[in-house]
Amino acid sequence: MIANITKGKKAVGALIYDFGPGRRDEHINPRIVAGNVTGTPLQVARAIDHTARWRPGITAPIWRCSLSLPDEDGILPDAQWSAIAAQFITQMGFDGAPWVAVRHGDDHIHLTVSRVDWSGQLLTDRWDYRRAREAADRLEEEHGLVRAADRFRTEGPQVRNNELEASNRRRGPDSPVPPEREELRRLVREVRDASRGLGRAAFESGLADAGVQFRANEASTGRMNGYSFTVDGLVDGQGEQIWFTASKVARDLRWAQLKTVIGDGPAAGPDAAATAEFVARATDMLRQGRIERGTAQPGDHPALSSDPATRILAQWKAKVAGQEVPADPLPRPESIPAWTDKRRRPHGALATDKIPGEIKKARRQIAAWQGEMESAQANARAWDGMATGAVTGPRVRALHQLQAAVAAAKPHIEAADTARHDRAAADTAADAARKVWREASQLKDLGRLDLRRRGTSRKAEQARAETSGQAIHAYVEQARTAATRAEAAARAARQASGLPDVEDQAVRLQQWPQLLADAQRGDQDEGRARRDTEQARARTLANRVQAVEARVDRLAQEAELRRTMPTEQARAEGRARRDAARTAAASTARRRKAAPRPPGEQPAHLRRQPPPRGGPGRSL
């Protein structure tokens, strides 16, 4: 499965293309197979663009991706494509935003996603190419599809559609010959294998015999950088020859790898032409003034000169004349620094049998610090992911968990709100009934004339008072029942969510965009602080490792120096070290030995006078 990602400004244009004829008339029966937006294609596109307009500062808020399959996978049903699209969107982290998947062919679908989710939060597209490749690999394994990693060879750039069409135009659509780049790859490899170890001349001769034209890409300094290849008929629309560098033909044909295969060729003997060329070059070196200035000793053979040009010229002249070239003089032995010189031999005072133990101890310390350094670097990379927003931090995870818990308790919260509303309505109705009852109770005690003046009677007021009293009892019972239901629903909400204040959290989550932004900012701040701490720790450990490695090198140099120094000098140094060690031990023992104390005299720490009472030394 290949995931091809593009980005744009409007979803309307993308959906018009998906439901249009296509660039090569390949769009057949376009249809929506998955998504979380319903309606006609134009309605879906407008809904996606509507959320994208919430972030006007984003230049490319529409994320597009086509998922295509090779012919080996066959034609998948719409239901399987729908599952693949939904899983892909979820693994990319875009399931909280409006998206749609359109299928208008047998082997691919097009995904159109808004990078702004339903709450107005911008979804990151950081490393989306790598994330898409990883998601496609997982979907290939889950759905039993052909792995793209197995299909595409890593030997060189592949022949794309445009290059294939151009090759068909040059050679005809029914030509059995592969495209020119693949033909070049095969021919150059055959010539390379045939000229293995024979040098550039044999390789270039083989290319000419195989009909491959080549150009050696050499710098102005003469340094060889590689080849470019072409074949007859490989021209562009203007008739110009097309050249492919070796790395564009195959990666194993680059000069760095090719030169190790073809080699330098057989060594040429010292014939007259080579000798004359070499002598001319050495003479030119002499003319340019690259000769020694008074460093040669009188009577020395020129072949022993310290000047490279003079030495080369004299050696080749001696070979041509059939003379024996004198051997290079042995270097004079360097003087061995004294073991008491700590600048030149910082570990000279250490006993010879102690050096291996010190080296082993230092290497154990290096291994321990390297392990801590690798751990610190791994921690820094992990915290860097949270600092850049690529990894979800604990605050964002806790916020999403809280949202899920509140969502689980949402039916109970709604039931509790409905019950509280019913209780409030019943209380309001009971208050109205109490008002009627009080009014009827006052009127029934008035005289007959007053009641007649008000257009009522004592009997009617008594009936009205009795009716309102019954209504008061009914409304009070309704309010009590509603309060009981509200309490039961609130208790069920707390049990379903596991939160003691789930209703307060539901009210708090109404500010979701701000809460999510604050949580992301907090996670990123913590990630940056932790990353910087781990990086500083890794640098400190690296400096320690470097210092101990330098100590190991000095110890190894000291051990090698003692191994190669004359025996008599080694014995003399050993005796001197032992004498120095005895002297140091005796001096230390004398310092530690205390002078005898006169009889009856107290030790020094007991001779102090106690502080006066009430002073700063008094006890608590």
Side-chain angles (χ1 to χ4, degrees), residues 10 45-57 61 114 116:
K10 297 289 184 180
R46 287 174 176 170
I48 295 175
D49 284 335
H50 177 71
T51 59
R53 282 195 294 271
W54 292 351
R55 290 298 187 102
S114 171
V116 182

Side-chain angles (χ1 to χ4, degrees), residues 437-573:
W437 180 82
R438 285 193 295 269
E439 182 181 355
S441 297
Q442 292 174 358
L443 291 177
K444 72 179 182 180
D445 294 334
L446 296 177
R448 186 176 299 172
L449 293 176
D450 291 336
L451 291 174
R452 183 178 300 172
R453 192 179 299 115
R454 285 177 171 80
T456 184
S457 63
R458 181 174 298 172
K459 185 175 181 180
E461 295 302 323
Q462 288 177 346
R464 192 156 70 101
E466 183 178 358
T467 302
S468 59
Q470 293 175 355
I472 290 171
H473 289 295
Y475 289 139
V476 168
E477 181 62 23
Q478 289 179 8
R480 187 186 65 78
T481 303
T484 302
R485 285 191 290 109
E487 181 60 29
R491 188 166 51 254
R494 289 192 293 271
Q495 291 176 353
S497 63
L499 300 173
D501 55 346
V502 60
E503 296 185 51
D504 295 338
Q505 295 295 340
V507 174
R508 175 170 167 259
L509 287 178
Q510 292 177 359
Q511 305 294 328
W512 174 260
Q514 184 62 37
L515 292 175
L516 185 60
D518 293 341
Q520 290 174 339
R521 190 181 306 109
D523 286 337
Q524 291 177 357
D525 292 342
E526 181 183 2
R528 282 191 289 269
R530 298 277 186 106
R531 177 196 61 193
D532 295 343
T533 301
E534 292 295 334
Q535 288 177 346
R537 178 166 164 259
R539 287 192 296 269
T540 302
L541 290 169
N543 293 335
R544 291 181 183 176
V545 168
Q546 186 177 2
V548 178
E549 285 178 345
R551 183 171 182 269
V552 169
D553 291 340
R554 290 194 295 268
L555 285 167
Q557 292 172 7
E558 179 66 27
E560 180 64 19
L561 181 63
R562 296 186 190 183
R563 188 183 65 81
T564 57
M565 71 171 51
T567 306
E568 292 300 328
Q569 184 174 354
R571 290 175 181 173
E573 282 193 4

Side-chain angles (χ1 to χ4, degrees), residues 24-296:
R24 297 182 179 87
D25 299 328
E26 75 277 10
H27 292 189
I28 301 173
N29 187 20
R31 57 203 180 274
I32 295 177
V33 296
N36 56 6
V37 185
T38 59
T40 65
L42 194 57
Q43 291 172 340
V44 170
R46 287 174 176 170
I48 295 175
D49 284 335
H50 177 71
T51 59
R53 282 195 294 271
W54 292 351
R55 290 298 187 102
I58 306 302
T59 58
I62 303 301
W63 191 83
R64 286 268 291 176
C65 180
S66 65
L67 300 178
S68 59
L69 298 178
D71 296 337
E72 293 84 351
D73 286 327
I75 300 177
L76 303 185
D78 286 355
Q80 189 171 0
W81 271 120
S82 176
I84 290 174
Q87 293 172 0
F88 183 81
I89 289 293
T90 301
Q91 293 180 16
M92 291 296 295
F94 294 155
D95 50 340
W99 66 277
V100 67
V102 176
R103 182 179 186 183
H104 51 212
D106 294 335
D107 59 349
H108 68 282
I109 61 172
H110 289 273
L111 300 171
T112 305
V113 188
S114 171
R115 288 180 53 214
V116 182
D117 64 8
W118 297 110
S119 62
Q121 182 67 30
L122 180 65
L123 302 179
T124 179
D125 60 346
R126 187 186 298 273
W127 300 329
D128 53 352
Y129 291 93
R130 188 183 71 183
R131 288 158 49 201
R133 180 66 264 155
E134 293 173 353
D137 291 342
R138 289 192 291 269
L139 290 173
E140 288 169 351
E141 183 177 355
E142 183 175 349
H143 290 269
L145 304 175
V146 175
R147 296 180 68 248
D150 297 336
R151 250 185 341 118
F152 287 96
R153 296 166 294 178
T154 59
E155 59 186 12
Q158 302 300 308
V159 177
R160 303 298 180 184
N161 289 338
N162 294 339
E163 186 178 348
L164 182 60
E165 291 176 0
S167 177
N168 291 336
R169 286 195 300 268
R170 287 190 294 264
R171 296 184 169 182
D174 300 329
S175 174
V177 182
E180 289 87 351
R181 195 204 299 252
E182 294 185 0
E183 183 183 5
L184 275 173
R185 185 180 302 157
R186 178 183 60 82
L187 292 174
V188 175
R189 281 179 172 170
E190 290 178 356
V191 173
R192 176 201 62 185
D193 297 337
S195 57
R196 185 180 298 272
L198 300 179
R200 281 183 56 186
F203 175 71
E204 294 173 355
S205 176
L207 290 176
D209 294 340
V212 177
Q213 303 175 34
F214 63 92
R215 290 190 308 203
N217 302 323
E218 295 182 354
S220 58
T221 58
R223 180 177 178 270
M224 178 63 176
N225 295 324
Y227 286 98
S228 296
F229 305 108
T230 187
V231 292
D232 292 334
L234 181 56
V235 294
D236 57 15
Q238 286 73 33
E240 298 290 335
Q241 194 76 26
I242 300 174
W243 291 85
F244 289 112
T245 59
S247 60
K248 296 296 181 64
V249 176
R251 293 189 178 94
D252 56 353
L253 297 178
R254 294 175 296 181
W255 180 244
Q257 296 174 263
L258 182 62
K259 67 180 180 181
T260 61
V261 177
I262 64 176
D264 297 329
D271 55 354
T275 302
E277 180 184 357
F278 197 91
V279 170
R281 185 158 54 90
T283 305
D284 183 66
M285 293 171 65
L286 288 172
R287 279 200 200 97
Q288 292 177 9
R290 290 194 290 256
I291 57 176
E292 57 188 352
R293 296 291 188 265
T295 57

